[in-house]
Amino acid sequence: MTIRTATARYEGLGKNGKGRVSTQSGVLQDQAYDFTTRFGEEPGTNPEELVAAAHASCFTMALSFALAGAGYTEGTLDTRAAVTLEKDGDGFKVSKSALTLTARVPGIDQAQFDQIAAGAKAGCPISKLLNAEITLDATLEG
């Protein structure tokens, strides 16, 4: 079993509060987040952006391993995850994570690619974590 950690600290409350988020690896260290980075365009991060990064990277790695397991030895996978945050009563909810994939995998046909990509989408641990609609728009080039 692998355990990874992150920490968040928020000083002040509501719209006036300021947060900092850090990850165990140190790749994020006291990264700013607050109301303006979540709902505006101020520099910093936000939970939805971090979930999108986690989902895009998890799915892409799962697909890479699935393709390797199917005997493919080279290729390029580029994935974008767009996480939707919407109003839910008095609060908010993440309602969707839309994966957009562009891939180059020599020798694979569209049907096999679609099947392997769908399996990776369903099997990715972050896909399993999210209780939201998860879509995949995959394009195989060349």
Side-chain angles (χ1 to χ4, degrees), residues 10-19 33-39 42 92:
Y10 215 76
E11 295 180 2
L13 301 177
K15 290 182 180 180
N16 295 324
K18 300 291 180 194
Y33 80 102
D34 60 29
F35 182 85
T36 62
T37 65
R38 192 172 198 179
F39 297 102
E42 293 298 316
F92 293 87

Side-chain angles (χ1 to χ4, degrees), residues 20-121:
R20 296 277 176 192
V21 61
S22 299
T23 57
Q24 174 184 344
S25 68
V27 72
L28 291 179
Q29 189 66 41
D30 289 327
Q31 178 63 53
Y33 80 102
D34 60 29
F35 182 85
T36 62
T37 65
R38 192 172 198 179
F39 297 102
E41 298 299 323
E42 293 298 316
T45 193
N46 58 71
E48 294 72 36
E49 177 181 72
L50 297 172
V51 168
H55 200 197
S57 61
C58 181
F59 164 74
T60 304
M61 184 180 280
L63 180 55
S64 172
F65 275 78
L67 288 164
Y72 296 95
T73 58
E74 62 182 83
T76 303
L77 308 172
D78 289 304
T79 306
R80 177 181 184 268
V83 169
T84 301
L85 178 68
E86 66 182 9
K87 195 82 167 119
D88 183 35
D90 291 337
F92 293 87
K93 70 177 181 179
V94 171
S95 60
K96 186 175 186 178
S97 180
L99 298 171
T100 303
L101 167 67
T102 303
R104 186 177 317 263
V105 183
I108 196 169
D109 66 45
Q110 189 68 53
Q112 185 182 23
F113 176 75
D114 289 344
Q115 180 183 15
I116 293 172
K121 177 182 74 95

